[in-house]
Amino acid sequence: MRPILLSGHERALTQIKFNRDGDLLFSVAKDQHVCAWFSHNGERLGTYKGHQGAIWTVDVTPDSSMIASGSADNTIRLWEVKTGRLLKTWEFPTAVKRVEFNEEGTQLLGVTEKRMGHLGSIVVLNINPDINGEQSDEKELTIVCDESKATVAGWSYMNKYIIAGHEDGSVSQYDAKTGEQLENLPIHDLNMQLTDLQWSNDRTYFITASKDKTSKLVASRDLEVLKTYPSDTPLNSATMTPKKDFVILGGGQAAMDVTTTAARQGKFEARFYHKIFEDEIGRVRGHFGPLNTVAADPTGKSYASGGEDGYVRVHHFDKGFFDFSYEVERERQRAMQQ
Amino acid sequence: MSNNKARDWADDDDLDETTSTELPPPQTIQNKDGTKTTITYRFDEDGKKVKTTRRIRMVTHREVVNPRVAERKVLPKFGLSEKDPKGPQMDTTSVGENIIFRLSPNWKRDAKDESKDANANAMKEKLKDKTVKCRICNGEHFTARCPYKDTMAPVGAEGSADPAAGLADEEPAAASGGAGAGKKGSYVPPALRGGPGGAAAGERMGGGSKYGERDDLATLRVTNVSEMAEENELRDMFERFGRVTRVFLAKDRDTGMAKGFAFISFADRTDAVKACNKMDGYGFKHLILRVEFAKKAAT
């Protein structure tokens, strides 16, 4: 497996996202532009210029026409994918740590930071799917997190719930229409913040990553913990691979401790776990710093990881990856054929 | 360029012939095995002509993509990539080194085995041209396994020029046997030690009591010694009872701190007995010494 290294950023990566067709990859870092890449050969399609601060988050609409990015300059910006044109800027009192489109791309949620007397909140914005149409300034909904600020959030299946992960290690479920909190469960260890939340294909369950060194698979409907993947390092990101039942975890010693650890000990590796058996089945080395974000190609052909070292590495899986199965899986397959 | 350069007579004629202003046209040869050979010429920065021969195999790789994807593939570039030509650019995209990525259900165990193996191999490699030598008796075994490790000081330590000296003084036969056993590095049962003197040795063993077998040896084992203790302090303390032939204080090799035990050899056994009685329970550097006659570890 030969990774493609994308060195379009000058600072630590914060998030990477594939579009639904898996041909484009969007990356954001603490420098001030969003990059769009072709995932198959690592060619850079372009950059989206306009942000005045570190960019924390990016998301792309299901039809790959628009992307939204949230930044430390207190704005969410909406861009046209094809041309890099800025479509809309929404201003907030504090930095935006997370954005996510809903399943249809008609609404966008943003998670704002708790700072300067402002509480952390989750805002929902309506998106006009017409690329040249007027985008509304109005916030459809604002959920204020008065207990512990939200760090990550996303839309569940049918846009029924908004699921948010908090700084104190809990996960809460809100009604996406009314913003009412339905559930709040301590999924991860107390005060170990959630660092990532990514959805399964049908959004009925999601995977969380936390600083408590575990990653969990949680059901959207009742926040039941389905699976737990323990690791030996604080995790920054977790994703699920389509086609194969694997999860990929990324993490590593926090950046400020890195100078005291050797690269080998820093555990800057992407870890592969079997989604169902919860076993660790392999690791991929390569980054010189902690992995801040991992993303799997929705077509299942590749995955990408972005590190504190400023590189995005796109890995296209070999045949061996797709052939791998457990003995029980092979047995079952044989039984099915007969 | 060769026109305005003065020609050196030493220049290769061949070279000169080819450093003419025009280059031969690139050639393309179709090979039998389906590959193409292209030969191109260019000038390098020294003005020398460079011939490049490339053999190319063309493989048509057909990929069916979604029309949406196909449409996006031909999008014009924008932003910082606006001026980039088609294809991946060197400054933003590079190919990393190959990673061997093999999935395995017992990945952890495999990885561990590998590292263990690596360590073991490294150790073996290190010790390949080294023979094991005991620091106490010079035998071919590890110091930690030396039969004399509790009674003898390491070779080179004060008063231990001959490791078996203590034994050798009055019972040469037995002592040489003992030393011999140490050198061979294998265990020799007490009954067989010392060859002809074996019987005597056996009898001595049979004597049993830990003082009895030490008739000849006036060595005391001192335990519960403070970490801060120094050899000369011990010597001063024990010299009050008679002539001390050797003091050995075990020290940690890395830290230099005392390990907490010492051996004191007296010239005269009666002095040793006196010292043993007097010094057992003596307070030294906040610790209470325990003094007894040294046991022979091997037996």
Side-chain angles (χ1 to χ4, degrees), chain A residues 38-59:
Chain A
F38 288 110
S39 64
H40 70 285
N41 63 357
E43 185 179 351
R44 184 159 75 176
L45 170 64
T47 60
Y48 305 82
K49 192 171 168 295
H51 274 297
Q52 304 291 316
I55 307 174
W56 291 112
T57 174
V58 67
D59 197 23

Side-chain angles (χ1 to χ4, degrees), chain B residues 184-203:
Chain B
K184 259 180 258 153
S186 55
Y187 176 70
V188 178
L192 298 178
R193 275 184 205 171
E203 198 184 294

Side-chain angles (χ1 to χ4, degrees), chain A residues 1 3 5 7 21 42 44 47, chain B residues 68 72 80-81 92-94:
Chain A
M1 192 166 70
L5 273 68
S7 45
D21 296 319
R44 184 159 75 176
T47 60
Chain B
R68 292 191 303 272
R72 279 196 288 265
L80 294 177
S81 292
T92 54
T93 308
S94 52

Side-chain angles (χ1 to χ4, degrees), chain A residues 34 54 117 219 238 312:
Chain A
V34 187
V312 178

